[in-house]
Amino acid sequence: MSTSASSSRRTSREMAAPLLAGLAIAAAAYGGRYSIQAWQAFKARPSVPRMRKFYDGGFQTTMTRREAALILGIRERTPVDKVKEAHRRVMVANHPDAGGSHYLASKINEAKDLMLGKTKGGSSAF
């Protein structure tokens, strides 16, 4: 009697292994399906630029208020103190004594003069 009882125990243990293996495979399949759906949703979302977009064009022949504002990184209707602050910030980064370009420095100065109303535009030395 003890042999039949031990064989039935082995049978239930032997039957549990395939059941657990099947459950593990099913869980892996559902996890994979969820991962694929999440990846597709991630790829389909619209991309949001993480960095500020800078002006890609070259300089115009005569500088406008719009171009001057783009050079200084400000709006066209910015107060005088903000224009001076923006000019200082941009000029520190592009000053010829610190390895910057003389051409860019002249354009930055021209942009400041135009935004402050000291010139009508187009008076670059270059």
Side-chain angles (χ1 to χ4, degrees), residues 17-101:
L19 178 66
L20 290 175
L23 288 174
I25 291 171
Y30 279 118
R33 180 177 166 208
Y34 176 77
S35 297
I36 290 171
Q37 288 175 347
W39 177 252
Q40 288 173 347
F42 176 75
K43 286 191 333 184
R45 69 181 172 77
S47 65
V48 177
R50 307 235 181 233
M51 295 180 63
R52 200 169 121 192
K53 177 100 168 96
F54 291 101
Y55 180 66
D56 340 337
F59 295 111
Q60 298 173 359
T61 54
T62 57
M63 188 174 291
T64 62
R65 278 189 73 81
R66 180 179 183 279
E67 185 180 24
L70 286 170
I71 290 170
L72 296 176
I74 56 177
R75 296 179 189 252
E76 290 182 47
R77 303 282 180 210
T78 302
V80 173
D81 59 327
K82 296 288 183 182
V83 171
K84 289 180 180 179
E85 180 183 321
H87 172 263
R88 178 170 162 48
R89 185 183 66 245
V90 175
M91 190 53 105
V92 164
N94 294 292
H95 198 276
D97 292 345
S101 163

